[in-house]
């Protein structure tokens, strides 16, 4: 996980998976779906953001469906972290599974659009260079942090090979 | 000896799945999965490549259920390909419990007796809590996590808090479980449950049919709960028998009477009036009469939430001898083919079509903007589905209101959002639809 600075794109409460991965593009290749990520809220988001930028939400970020394309679209665009006051449970799980760090932070509302942020999931901290502030995040349990560090659930499973039901060799 | 730890229904199920006597709220544990359900959108289409990538195969094909519902019937080559891939994967992996175009996954699951009390199950869909109506702990997971379950048969869970949602009293005529859950959402909003368990109880809940109970647990997802639960009772076991479940595998499974809950929320069914959720959120709820000036373009009766046989009966009660208003389209996508057949046999379909309703295939349809019946710019729809997020059912500028099948049908007749109580009199209600 990079320690570089990214620009904050700030969204409100209850950002839905329908906004992150619109149903109409769910059959399309990931790159096309990602180009429409969050467009129902900010039509220019996918065009304006750069790799390494950071999405900031309020309460209940990622609510709605189980579609992990909501996380994949953010990752495809190169979003480094998602910060929110709270996350929808399913979206939180999907983030961990796909190796995108979800940072739960009570001070999320202090972050303004365009602020330069540097995040550390392991330490559970966010540095806001623009405002010269530092925020603490809810620590991610070690079991899940290990999964994140391995790059997500699948690579984590590969490392613990013994538990996987393997293909019969023939 | 330590005093025994009183367990909620959720704790009991998780403890059993983890091979433990009891579990504490907040513990992060790994539990064995009794059943994994996938559909065509998030299922084989996505997990096949993941399993191949890590060289894994399905841990137990008898614990897997696959349903095609999101992209059915195929409307273009892309959806046809997704369906073909799903069918091929099921054949290669010898998954016998495959339901191809038989209806929406959450409904098909219960119709076929796959859900049983005390089960610890995952589904590749956010409305998986629907199974909680039968006292099963089932929650939604993404495709990667599903691949993990298929490879290992296990999943991690943080033991959730349970909050009780208690509905006392008796529902009046032209009211349904949908009005109950919308009223619950009005008060608790989208995040009070904070990924805990929403457990429904009280005499108004006990009085509901299984089909109506499933509306409450289905929309636990909208409450932000990990799952919804209802303690199994006589109604539950009668329904299980009806679905040909071997009762030997349908144990009595209950929470301890002295278990503690994070909160108890009381509601009074006697005071309930029809509820409507305005755009663009299922918790943006008010009494139906606040919306009587809203004119509509489309009325939609569909989804796992609002198109079961019972829901079709509600619509028929309103539409009997009436006509859908001019320039309004009423689309009805019954939740399963079995329910379509039952509705054909009991005359419900004839009542609906005589009123001018257009029947669509059983599947997710317009609910999530995947299938037929989606909306153009600025169009207004009233729908019996679970979600009205911006752009979900079509153009970002379209407007979706949520209501019960009664309310949707009544609105289709007048062309504006309408209180269904004007259409159904207590006298008629007592007779119900034959
Ligand atoms: S009908 Fe709608 S809510 Fe139900 S599973 Fe299908 S898309 Fe989801």
């Amino acid at each position: 996980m990079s320690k570089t600075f990214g620009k904050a794109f700030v969204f409100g409460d209850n950002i839905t998976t329908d906004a992150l991965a619109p149903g109409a593009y769910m059959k399309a290749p990931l790159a096309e779906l990602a180009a429409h990520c969050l467009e129902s809220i900010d039509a220019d988001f996918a065009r304006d953001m750069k790799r390494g930028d950071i999405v900031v939400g309020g309460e209940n970020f990622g609510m709605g469906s189980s579609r992990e394309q909501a996380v994949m679209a953010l990752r495809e665009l190169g979003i480094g972290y998602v910060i929110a006051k709270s996350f929808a449970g399913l979206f939180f799980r999907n983030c961990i599974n796909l190796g995108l760090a979800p940072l739960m932070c009570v001070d999320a509302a202090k972050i303004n659009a365009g602020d330069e942020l540097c995040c550390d999931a392991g330490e559970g901290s966010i540095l806001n260079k623009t405002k010269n502030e530092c925020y603490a995040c809810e620590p991610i349990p070690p079991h899940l942090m290990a999964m994140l560090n391995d790059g997500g659930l699948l690579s984590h499973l590969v490392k613990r090979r013994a538990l996987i039901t393997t293909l019969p060799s023939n | 000896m330590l005093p025994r730890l009183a367990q909620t229904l959720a704790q009991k199920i998780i403890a059993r799945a983890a091979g433990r006597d009891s579990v504490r709220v907040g513990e992060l544990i790994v539990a064995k999965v009794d059943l994994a359900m996938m559909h065509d959108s998030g299922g084989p289409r996505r997990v096949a490549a993941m399993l191949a990538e890590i060289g894994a195969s399905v841990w137990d094909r008898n614990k897997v259920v696959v349903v095609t519902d999101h992209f059915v019937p195929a409307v273009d080559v892309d959806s046809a390909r997704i369906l073909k891939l799903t069918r091929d994967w099921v054949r290669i992996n010898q998954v016998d419990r495959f339901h191809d175009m038989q209806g929406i996954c959450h409904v098909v699951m219960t119709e076929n007796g796959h859900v049983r009390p005390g089960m610890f199950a995952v589904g590749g869909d956010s409305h998986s809590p629907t199974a909680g109506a039968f006292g099963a702990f089932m929650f939604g997971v993404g495709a990667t996590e599903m691949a993990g379950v298929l490879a290992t048969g296990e999943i991690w869970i943080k033991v959730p808090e349970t909050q009780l949602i208690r509905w006392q009293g008796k529902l009046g005529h032209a009211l349904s479980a949908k009005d109950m859950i919308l009223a619950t959402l009005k008060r608790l909003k989208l995040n009070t449950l904070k990924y805990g368990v929403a457990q429904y109880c009280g005499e108004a809940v006990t009085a509901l049919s299984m089909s109506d109970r499933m509306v409450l647990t289905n929309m636990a997802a909208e409450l932000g709960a990990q799952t919804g639960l209802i303690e199994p009772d006589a109604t539950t076991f009668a329904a299980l028998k009806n679905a040909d479940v071997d009762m030997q595998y349908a144990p009595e499974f209950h929470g301890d009477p002295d278990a503690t809950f994070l909160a108890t929320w009381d509601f009074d069914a006697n005071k309930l009036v029809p509820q409507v959720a305005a755009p663009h959120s299922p918790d943006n709820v008010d009494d139906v009469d606040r919306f009587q000036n809203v004119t509509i373009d489309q009325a939609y009766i569909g989804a796992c939430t609002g198109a079961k046989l019972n829901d079709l009966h509600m619509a028929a009660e309103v539409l009997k001898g009436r006509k859908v208003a001019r320039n309004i389209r009423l689309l009805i996508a019954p939740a399963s083919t079995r329910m379509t057949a039952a509705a054909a046999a009991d005359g419900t379909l004839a009542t609906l079509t005589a009123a001018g309703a257009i029947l669509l295939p059983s599947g997710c349809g317009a609910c999530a903007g995947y299938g037929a019946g989606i909306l153009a710019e600025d169009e207004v729809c009233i729908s019996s589905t679970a979600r009205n997020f911006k752009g979900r059912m079509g153009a970002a500028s379209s407007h979706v209101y949520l209501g019960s099948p009664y309310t949707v049908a009544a609105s289709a007749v007048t062309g504006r959002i309408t209180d269904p109580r004007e259409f159904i009199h207590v006298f008629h209600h007592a007779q119900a639809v034959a």
Side-chain angles (χ1 to χ4, degrees):
Chain A
M1 265 158 268
S2 73
K3 289 276 164 61
T4 51
F5 281 88
K7 212 167 87 175
F9 281 77
V10 178
F11 297 86
D13 293 341
N14 297 314
I15 296 302
T16 68
T17 51
D18 292 86
L20 289 157
Y25 305 99
M26 284 287 286
K27 278 181 296 196
L30 184 57
E32 189 185 336
L33 176 73
H36 296 277
C37 181
L38 291 166
E39 73 176 0
S40 64
I41 300 162
D42 174 355
D44 300 325
F45 168 70
R47 204 195 58 203
D48 292 350
M49 57 79 54
K50 294 199 173 56
R51 300 194 77 78
D53 282 347
I54 291 160
V55 164
V56 183
E59 296 276 11
N60 207 16
F61 189 93
M63 63 172 292
S65 91
S66 62
R67 66 184 74 159
E68 59 185 18
Q69 284 91 336
V71 179
M72 290 166 71
L74 292 171
R75 239 188 28 181
E76 171 76 12
L77 292 172
I79 290 296
Y81 296 86
V82 193
I83 301 167
K85 205 161 168 211
S86 65
F87 288 94
L90 237 169
F91 182 85
F92 184 89
R93 294 186 82 104
N94 285 341
C95 280
I96 303 273
N97 291 328
L98 292 168
L100 175 67
L103 300 177
M104 199 146 87
C105 175
V106 286
D107 296 320
K110 292 185 181 162
I111 300 169
N112 290 333
D115 284 0
E116 295 279 329
L117 308 176
C118 180
C119 306
D120 187 323
E123 262 178 32
S125 66
I126 300 165
L127 177 65
N128 187 333
K129 191 164 85 175
T130 312
K131 293 192 160 168
N132 200 19
E133 290 174 343
C134 193
Y135 318 118
C137 311
E138 184 108 330
I140 295 173
H143 179 84
L144 305 186
M145 201 58 222
M147 229 182 260
L148 260 183
N149 285 333
D150 287 346
L153 174 66
L154 294 185
S155 27
H156 183 65
L157 285 179
V158 168
K159 291 190 180 168
R160 302 184 310 155
R161 195 117 215 129
L163 293 179
I164 300 180
T165 315
T166 45
L167 290 165
S169 50
N170 50 10
Chain B
M1 204 173 100
L2 285 168
R4 193 187 51 87
L5 193 62
Q7 303 274 289
T8 61
L9 178 55
Q11 283 170 286
K12 279 249 179 104
I13 297 172
I14 294 166
R16 202 234 348 106
R20 302 246 306 253
D21 288 335
S22 63
V23 290
R24 267 173 296 109
V25 164
E27 263 188 279
L28 200 141
I29 58 162
V30 174
K32 294 213 180 311
V33 170
D34 298 315
L35 187 108
M37 184 279 290
M38 300 183 267
H39 55 55
D40 49 341
S41 182
R45 166 203 187 190
R46 308 250 355 265
V47 301
M50 295 179 192
L51 290 175
E53 184 191 320
I54 62 170
S57 63
V58 174
W59 100 106
D60 186 345
R61 67 187 180 93
N62 294 317
K63 290 184 175 156
V64 178
V65 176
V66 179
V67 179
T68 59
D69 58 3
H70 277 58
F71 294 114
V72 301
V75 290
D76 53 22
V77 176
D78 284 335
S79 43
R81 254 186 221 129
I82 292 169
L83 293 170
K84 181 169 188 293
L85 185 155
T86 307
R87 292 173 188 127
D88 289 346
W89 187 88
V90 161
R91 199 180 52 247
I92 292 163
N93 289 279
Q94 301 173 320
V95 171
D96 295 333
R97 293 200 266 178
F98 175 46
H99 302 283
D100 195 9
M101 300 180 65
Q102 292 169 14
I104 304 164
C105 56
H106 310 297
V107 173
V108 168
M109 284 269 292
T110 60
E111 266 183 347
N112 287 280
H114 299 322
V115 174
R116 297 190 303 267
M119 216 173 213
F120 181 76
V122 297
D125 190 277
S126 63
H127 285 105
S128 299
T130 309
F134 290 79
F137 190 105
M138 184 159 178
F139 61 106
V141 296
T144 302
E145 195 146 39
M146 180 58 76
V149 168
L150 293 174
T152 65
E154 298 180 339
I155 194 163
W156 66 269
I157 185 166
K158 196 169 155 200
V159 181
E161 297 267 19
T162 296
Q163 298 189 42
L164 272 190
I165 294 162
R166 186 162 58 196
W167 276 89
Q168 303 290 19
K170 197 167 172 286
L171 281 180
H173 78 285
L175 283 150
S176 74
K178 185 60 168 288
D179 301 296
M180 291 166 72
I181 192 67
L182 289 177
T184 309
L185 275 155
K186 181 181 184 184
R187 184 154 150 217
L188 301 189
K189 297 294 173 188
L190 301 174
N191 201 21
T192 305
L193 266 298
K194 297 209 186 308
Y195 208 50
V197 175
Q199 188 167 323
Y200 306 92
C201 65
E203 56 180 327
V205 174
T206 309
L208 295 175
S209 66
M210 287 314 291
S211 166
D212 288 337
R213 291 180 188 189
M214 283 163 68
V215 175
L216 301 182
T217 50
N218 175 279
M219 288 187 68
E222 279 57 53
L223 285 168
Q226 181 168 21
T227 197
L229 280 172
I230 297 173
E231 290 270 3
D233 62 8
T235 305
T236 322
F237 288 103
L240 288 166
K241 247 193 207 134
N242 216 11
D244 283 336
V245 171
D246 184 343
M247 296 316 274
Q248 184 187 330
Y249 300 108
E252 286 281 351
F253 218 96
H254 298 288
D256 292 325
D258 51 345
T260 50
F261 302 98
L262 182 64
T264 299
W265 305 92
D266 277 302
F267 295 86
D268 185 357
N270 294 324
K271 295 204 182 111
L272 189 64
V273 299
Q275 302 289 297
V276 167
H280 296 287
S281 179
D283 67 348
N284 191 13
V285 173
D286 218 327
D287 297 351
V288 66
D289 58 6
R290 298 291 302 275
F291 302 104
Q292 57 189 355
N293 295 323
V294 176
T295 55
I296 58 166
D297 300 294
Q298 174 168 306
Y300 187 78
I301 291 182
C304 50
T305 323
K308 297 187 285 298
L309 186 59
N310 237 20
D311 303 307
L312 304 181
H313 285 168
M314 293 181 211
E317 261 189 272
V318 172
L319 292 169
K320 202 172 180 73
R322 296 196 170 92
K323 287 269 183 229
V324 171
R326 272 170 71 96
N327 305 325
I328 305 295
R329 47 193 197 264
L330 168 62
L331 308 182
I332 301 183
S336 76
T337 50
R338 223 185 260 188
M339 284 169 178
T340 309
D346 72 9
T348 302
L349 289 190
T351 303
L352 299 174
T353 50
I358 295 155
L359 288 183
L360 300 181
S362 291
C364 295
C367 172
Y370 290 75
I374 62 178
L375 303 164
E377 276 76 17
D378 303 320
E379 282 194 317
V380 179
C381 177
I382 183 155
S383 172
S384 68
T385 53
R387 289 183 179 148
N388 59 346
F389 302 144
K390 201 163 187 237
R392 178 173 168 90
M393 210 186 251
S397 62
S398 60
H399 285 68
V400 178
Y401 292 80
L402 305 176
S404 76
Y406 287 125
T407 305
V408 173
S411 306
V413 171
T414 62
R416 58 179 176 79
I417 293 180
T418 298
D419 187 337
R421 291 174 302 176
E422 299 164 18
F423 287 79
I424 298 170
H425 301 293
V426 185
F427 173 72
H428 283 133
H429 187 70
Q431 298 172 349
V433 171

